[in-house]
Structure formats: structure tokens, C-alpha cells
Amino acid sequence: MEDAIEQAKKTIPAEIHMISGCRDEQTSADVSNVNSFQLPDPAGRAGGALTSALLNVTYKDEEDTGKDLSFQETLLRVRDQLKGKGFSQIPQLSSSRPMDISKKFDIVPDNMHGTRRAVMIGINYVGDNPGELRGCHHDVLNMKKYIMDVHGFQEENITVLMDDGEHIPPTRENILGAYRKIVAESESGDVVFCHYSGHGGKLRDDNGDEEDGFDETLVPRDYQTAGQIRDDALYDTLVA
């Protein structure tokens, strides 16, 4: 086990925690009205179920001056909230190495004092039929407000990609370019926060590294011409 952990540290120098909206075989849902999650000044009526539930839990944790929630407690409360509202999806927590899930949940760990950077992507696939979503732009705006108000992220260090005609278009190349840029700019002690709201998918594994035979994907706005973004490309660009 120790050898495996040391190898993981060499392969992935940064400690990465990821919360995803559901299991691989599930779909993460939209919410027609995020007001039911009692978010402060929600950016819009629609939103993603995971983002809305996570923000509800983390805002309440921030307001409570008592015991901070752990990673485990945060995940379980998000799951309970979704289940209570009739959603079947089960959010997952992953890490680049073994982690103590009883430690305090925080986007900015106490020992990180460098620059706080973020890449935030929201794709509604405007005009697609079928496939158009309603809440992904709102997810980005709600989460952006949270990381700025609660965790001290600055506007100039946040890159937003949305298919709203105002922000950087979330094309395949722009998404990978934003990830390449945040990796190039970041150094030890910095915090990197990446948020994605949009369609995910699966493609037949093309290099034999998946036990189930499929690569998980992000679906950029121009997926019909540029293709989806495989997990291999995300690993090579953002992680390795």
C-alpha cells in the first residue's frame, strides 16, 4: 500500500478531490426551481441537482459556528437532501490518493496560502433538440458567487466558459485550453477549483485502460464536429 501511495504522489503531485453528481451508470438531474434549496440570491430558477444541494449544505455549514462538517458528513447530507427531494442519483467522492474522509470539508485547505484559481464551465446546449438544458449557466453563477463570497476567490482568477453569447464559448479546444492555462499558471500552495455543469457521456474505450470498456466524457458545445472530451484527455491535460 505504501508503495502504491508513493507512486500515486509521483504520478499526480497535487492532491485532488472530486465530487461528481452520480454513479457512472446514473444521470445527474436538472432542477426546475432551485428556490426549494434555499440558496442566497440564486442566479436563476433552474439548476443542477448536485450543485444546488451541495451549495445548500455548504452555505449552512458556513453559517453554523459550531463543528465543521467533514467530507463524509457533507457528502451524506447532500445525498440525503437529494433523496428527500425524489432524486435517485447518488453523488460520489473521489481522491487522487487515500484520504481521511473525517477531516473538515473545505475547498481551500488551511495549509494552502497561494493564489486561488478557478475554471467554471456551464453548457446549456442552447437550441439543441433534444439535449438542451436549462440550469447549467445558473449553476456556474451560483457556485461562482459561493467561492468568491465564502472562499475568497477573486474575479480576475476565475475563467468562465458558457454558451450564453457573453462568455468564452465552451468548445472542446477552449475547455482544454482553459485547463492547460490553469495548470501552467498554478504552483505549489495554490488552490485550483474546477466546476463543470453540462452533459457527460461514454465512449467505447480506445486504449484498453477501462475495466468496463468505456471512457467517461465531457460533452463540449461543439461535440458534433470536434468530438467529446475523454477522461484520458482530461487526465493528460489537467492532472498528470
Side-chain angles (χ1 to χ4, degrees):
M1 175 62 78
E2 292 297 325
D3 289 343
I5 294 174
E6 288 305 312
Q7 183 60 42
K9 290 180 179 179
K10 291 179 182 179
T11 305
I12 308 174
E15 185 170 352
I16 299 171
H17 300 148
M18 180 178 74
I19 295 179
S20 52
C22 59
R23 291 174 174 167
D24 287 349
E25 70 274 12
Q26 295 180 312
T27 299
S28 190
D30 257 355
V31 178
S32 60
N33 188 349
V34 299
N35 287 327
S36 64
F37 287 89
Q38 300 176 325
L39 305 184
D41 301 319
R45 295 183 63 84
L50 170 66
T51 301
S52 301
L54 180 61
L55 285 174
N56 175 278
V57 171
T58 52
Y59 268 123
K60 286 183 177 178
D61 185 35
E62 182 66 23
E63 294 168 357
D64 185 354
T65 57
K67 177 179 176 292
D68 290 319
L69 293 179
S70 66
F71 274 88
Q72 182 182 37
E73 291 167 332
T74 299
L75 183 66
L76 291 177
R77 290 195 184 191
V78 169
R79 288 179 175 180
D80 287 344
Q81 190 170 126
L82 290 173
K83 184 177 180 180
K85 292 182 180 295
F87 295 99
S88 61
Q89 67 191 75
I90 303 175
Q92 304 293 300
L93 171 65
S94 307
S95 177
S96 58
R97 62 196 61 157
M99 63 176 290
D100 179 5
I101 60 175
S102 66
K103 72 178 182 179
K104 182 180 72 170
F105 175 87
D106 205 340
I107 289 174
V108 181
D110 293 336
N111 62 334
M112 296 294 168
H113 305 291
T115 302
R116 302 170 188 190
R117 297 185 175 88
V119 172
M120 312 191 73
I121 301 167
I123 314 176
N124 277 350
Y125 308 90
V126 178
D128 282 12
N129 185 20
E132 184 169 357
L133 300 174
R134 294 177 296 170
C136 299
H137 298 169
H138 301 149
D139 278 354
V140 167
L141 298 177
N142 287 329
M143 186 61 78
K144 180 184 175 186
K145 173 179 171 58
Y146 170 73
I147 65 172
M148 292 180 69
D149 291 352
V150 175
H151 295 287
F153 283 72
Q154 301 298 310
E155 183 81 44
E156 61 268 23
N157 295 321
I158 301 175
T159 299
V160 175
L161 295 86
M162 295 198 296
D163 55 340
D164 61 352
E166 298 179 12
H167 293 85
I168 300 169
T171 62
R172 175 188 171 89
E173 182 53 38
N174 286 346
I175 290 172
L176 292 174
Y179 288 152
R180 285 192 291 264
K181 182 173 184 289
I182 202 170
V183 169
E185 292 177 341
S186 299
E187 56 189 32
S188 180
D190 290 351
V191 173
V192 171
F193 178 78
C194 295
H195 174 96
Y196 174 84
S197 287
H199 283 307
K202 285 187 176 185
L203 293 174
R204 182 72 63 180
D205 177 26
D206 61 355
N207 63 359
D209 66 342
E210 299 284 353
E211 290 186 3
D212 65 354
F214 290 92
D215 285 327
E216 284 72 39
T217 66
L218 302 184
V219 182
R221 187 63 189 91
D222 60 344
Y223 70 95
Q224 292 176 319
T225 55
Q228 301 177 47
I229 303 174
R230 293 178 183 265
D231 50 14
D232 298 315
L234 292 172
Y235 176 84
D236 291 341
T237 304
L238 188 57
V239 178

